[in-house]
Amino acid sequence: MTHLEGKAASPVQLARAMLGDEEWTEFDLSRDGVEGWGPSHDPDARPETRVRYVGLDVMIDLIHRSLARGEAVVWGTVDHALLIYGADYDGNGKPLSYLIKDSLPPYTYRASAETIHATLNDVTVTTQPDSIARTSYKHPSAGASPKP
């Protein structure tokens, strides 16, 4: 049990208060090019955890869409999770750097987008139930992917 605004709240109540109608969805990098739902490769994940495997370009687009909505992104390397809470872009909208919140020193810093993209293993963003996360991801420059 935890507390929210001085009142006891269950984990489900806290999640609903924070996310509203949205939910957290994890997108993992598809290293073999196959996209779709599958079990997490994270050894610390619960056995029932399902993630959506996507390409790097999709993960980068999910970061930009979340930041454009004013929402932070949880991103992970193969052994660490961090938070992206902002970005700097060039005149064409290409990311130059990200603002990072880390649990390790220096805690907050600016990292080059190229460095982040090279180590990107997964991103977790908020999505609407039965949205792209439940069916397929539609990249803005591509047609709809078939449903799994």
Side-chain angles (χ1 to χ4, degrees), residues 26-93:
E26 182 178 332
F27 293 83
D28 285 16
L29 182 61
S30 172
R31 301 199 188 285
D32 59 6
V34 176
E35 296 190 358
W37 285 98
S40 175
H41 293 301
D42 182 346
D44 295 327
R46 294 183 181 122
E48 69 274 9
T49 299
R50 305 279 291 165
V51 300
R52 177 101 175 129
Y53 287 94
V54 297
L56 181 60
D57 61 330
V58 172
M59 294 174 76
I60 293 168
D61 187 57
L62 288 164
I63 292 169
H64 301 298
R65 287 176 181 230
S66 292
L67 293 176
R69 289 191 311 268
E71 298 175 353
V73 176
V74 176
W75 73 278
T77 65
V78 294
D79 63 355
H80 190 55
L82 305 98
L83 188 76
I84 297 174
Y85 65 93
D88 294 314
Y89 300 93
D90 68 12
N92 297 320

Side-chain angles (χ1 to χ4, degrees), residues 92-117:
N92 297 320
K94 179 182 176 190
L96 299 172
S97 63
Y98 293 112
L99 302 174
I100 306 296
K101 169 68 175 97
D102 197 337
S103 60
L104 303 172
Y107 303 116
T108 58
Y109 53 91
R110 184 179 312 272
S112 84
E114 187 175 293
T115 299
I116 299 302
H117 298 165

